[in-house]
Amino acid sequence: MTHRMDRMTGMTGAEDARAELIELLRRVAGQDRSALRSLYERTSAKLYGICLRALANESDAQDVLQEVYMTVWTKASRFDATKASAITWLSVLARNKAIDRLRASRAPANDLNAASDVQDDSPSAFEILEQAQDSTRLDHCIEELEERAKLMIRAAFLEGASYPELAKREGVPLGTMKSLIRRGLQRLRRCLER
């Protein structure tokens, strides 16, 4: 799929869109309400889709979407463009909020005294450090992939896009998309094993 190239800046339409989202998040971090409105207009359909897919309930998805943008309003300054794209950061935030809602709806309302008998399964400081190192290695290995494989793997595993959605979006047969992602994952595994 070819991207339109802007003759003045040398940027593709996709690059322009990514840069605009980064700028909007920067402005939201400065409490710019119009930037939040623009960010909402550009991203809410995608984030709502993520919430709806996870929750399978329109009302819950709408509630979670509102929570997502309230969190963006208070935590936009935490976005780091060197670690993820703006849409990836927003998608992960939406997915995590939706998962939190699912867990909360499934949690039984037990007596608070019963909590003292619950074993603490939270990771130790050593495990947290190890996870951070693994995350850094994973980021490094993802960056070594060819651009298309990198984008498709991120879309599939971080944004929750399905293979058929990606194939349609890229204008390729489903088998081609599966092969592209499979080869990318194989390269990723080899890199992580080094």
Side-chain angles (χ1 to χ4, degrees), residues 63-77:
D63 290 347
V64 169
L65 185 66
Q66 182 177 355
E67 289 175 28
V68 168
Y69 285 100
M70 288 171 42
T71 300
V72 169
W73 179 251
T74 59
K75 297 185 179 181
S77 61

Side-chain angles (χ1 to χ4, degrees), residues 144-173:
E144 287 186 7
L145 296 174
E146 66 177 58
E147 191 64 25
R148 191 171 189 195
K150 181 187 336 179
L151 292 172
M152 294 306 102
I153 287 172
R154 282 190 170 142
F157 295 99
L158 295 177
E159 298 170 18
S162 70
Y163 287 7
E165 289 171 340
L166 292 173
K168 183 176 180 182
R169 183 166 80 188
E170 292 295 307
V172 298

Side-chain angles (χ1 to χ4, degrees), residues 6-7 10 39 46 58 71 75 77 95 99 107 118 121 128 131 178 188 191:
D6 186 319
R7 291 183 184 152
L39 184 70
K46 178 173 189 59
E58 289 185 19
T71 300
K75 297 185 179 181
S77 61
R95 182 179 170 276
I99 290 170
V118 175
D121 291 330
I128 292 170
Q131 288 172 354
K178 287 180 178 180
L188 194 58
C191 176

Side-chain angles (χ1 to χ4, degrees), residues 19-31 35-36 39 72-73 75-77 79-80 85-87 89-90:
E20 287 173 15
L21 289 180
I22 291 169
E23 176 60 20
L24 286 172
L25 278 171
R26 186 194 63 73
R27 288 175 43 209
V28 170
Q31 304 296 284
L36 181 64
L39 184 70
V72 169
W73 179 251
K75 297 185 179 181
S77 61
F79 169 68
D80 183 351
S85 69
I87 195 63
W89 184 75
L90 291 166

Side-chain angles (χ1 to χ4, degrees), residues 85-157:
S85 69
I87 195 63
T88 298
W89 184 75
L90 291 166
S91 297
V92 169
L93 184 61
R95 182 179 170 276
N96 289 346
K97 290 279 185 195
I99 290 170
D100 289 346
R101 174 65 65 99
L102 276 175
R103 287 179 180 154
S105 68
R106 292 179 183 157
N110 289 335
D111 186 335
L112 286 179
N113 292 328
S116 63
D117 298 330
V118 175
Q119 181 180 351
D120 182 9
D121 291 330
S122 61
S124 67
F126 177 76
E127 290 169 328
I128 292 170
L129 181 60
E130 192 174 73
Q131 288 172 354
Q133 289 171 339
D134 288 346
S135 177
T136 301
R137 277 185 40 230
L138 180 60
D139 288 342
H140 171 74
C141 288
I142 286 175
E143 287 306 314
E144 287 186 7
L145 296 174
E146 66 177 58
E147 191 64 25
R148 191 171 189 195
K150 181 187 336 179
L151 292 172
M152 294 306 102
I153 287 172
R154 282 190 170 142
F157 295 99

